[in-house]
Amino acid sequence: MAATDFAVDAYRHEALDTVGSTNSEAMDRARAGDPGLLWLTAERQETGRGRRGRNWVSERGNLYASLLLVDPAPQAMTASLPLVAALGVHGAISRVMAGHDNEIAIKWPNDILIDRRKVCGILLEAERLADGRLAVVIGMGVNVTTGPDDVPYPVARVSDYVAGADPVTLFAHLFETMAQELQIWDRGRGLAETVARWRSAACGINERITVNLAHEQVPGIFVGIDDAGMLKLETKDGLRSFAAGDVFFDN
């Protein structure tokens, strides 16, 4: 794929009613030979999931979307796709909320927040296919009209801020903004610009945070991301970098 391959008119979109999960459906399409640049959206998901296998509540009224990319970049560069995905969703929500003065920001690596309340989670999954191609699925769940109750962080819905907000309109913007961010990224050749754009939309830089890992909680000062997108944390033991983890703002 070249940058021009990410042009908005290169993508296909299939709207589904109910699926297990849009990510699983997209990966099934890849295994069956789909060439990629395919968007799948669903009215609801029966087995939606977030990071680390967490259940993702998927009732009607929200946006559930997955984008299938096949061999989108040299494998070493695919680690930066979460930054691209976050910018795409950030741009779409910003368009829907144009004229509002609420803070729309990205929490590392790719949660989208409105006034520090989570409105979107993004899950990327990759698989090497039998023919050697690398399939990457970018899954997005955006709270448009409903949101989960049993979560350990504040939650927002787009409709809390924009009367009449709906997933169809939001996806129409996302279809364009994700293509734009993928073109800027350009198979990783434009990573420096992507990183700069991510930093300008980031939330919590120079604030105290805690990074939750599978078996460790690491507090410190979030000093930003490096040129590859890894989180940099100033801890009591010095500077540490993280490729993955859950970030919580310290009150």
Side-chain angles (χ1 to χ4, degrees), residues 5 10 16 63 142 168 191 194 216 245:
D5 295 324
L16 308 171
L63 175 60
V142 184
V168 173
L191 178 58
T194 293
E216 184 183 13

Side-chain angles (χ1 to χ4, degrees), residues 84-223:
V84 182
L87 285 166
V89 180
H90 178 273
I93 293 174
S94 296
R95 284 188 180 188
V96 170
M97 292 187 57
H100 297 257
D101 59 2
N102 306 88
E103 180 193 40
I104 305 164
I106 302 170
K107 179 169 74 70
W108 186 88
N110 54 15
D111 285 341
I112 311 302
L113 310 182
I114 302 176
D115 293 340
R116 299 291 177 105
R117 305 171 71 86
K118 182 173 176 176
V119 72
C120 173
I122 300 174
L123 175 67
L124 282 85
E125 297 178 302
E127 180 179 312
R128 183 66 65 181
L129 302 173
D131 62 5
R133 300 175 306 154
L134 182 68
V136 180
V137 177
I138 305 173
M140 293 143 275
V142 184
N143 301 330
V144 180
T145 62
T146 64
D149 298 319
D150 54 344
V151 289
Y153 48 79
V155 171
R157 304 170 301 174
V158 178
S159 61
D160 293 337
Y161 308 90
V162 179
D166 69 274
V168 173
T169 301
L170 178 60
F171 177 71
H173 290 297
L174 179 62
F175 192 89
E176 294 182 353
T177 57
M178 191 66 74
Q180 291 168 359
E181 297 299 339
L182 283 164
Q183 283 190 292
I184 290 169
W185 177 69
D186 187 16
R187 290 174 51 85
R189 289 184 287 259
L191 178 58
E193 184 173 353
T194 293
V195 167
R197 291 170 63 79
W198 190 97
R199 286 171 175 151
S200 70
C203 181
I205 291 178
N206 296 323
E207 296 183 17
R208 293 198 63 83
I209 65 171
T210 298
V211 179
N212 285 1
L213 308 174
H215 304 291
E216 184 183 13
Q217 293 183 327
V218 186
I221 302 295
F222 175 33
V223 296

Side-chain angles (χ1 to χ4, degrees), residues 20-24 45-58 64-66 109-111 118 120-126 137-143 148 151-153 245-246:
S21 84
T22 55
N23 265 31
S24 294
Q45 300 179 114
E46 295 178 329
T47 55
R49 61 186 181 276
R51 289 195 297 271
R52 300 185 185 178
R54 300 184 181 108
N55 179 57
W56 186 269
V57 177
S58 304
Y64 311 111
S66 292
N110 54 15
D111 285 341
K118 182 173 176 176
C120 173
I122 300 174
L123 175 67
L124 282 85
E125 297 178 302
V137 177
I138 305 173
M140 293 143 275
V142 184
N143 301 330
V151 289
Y153 48 79
D246 291 329

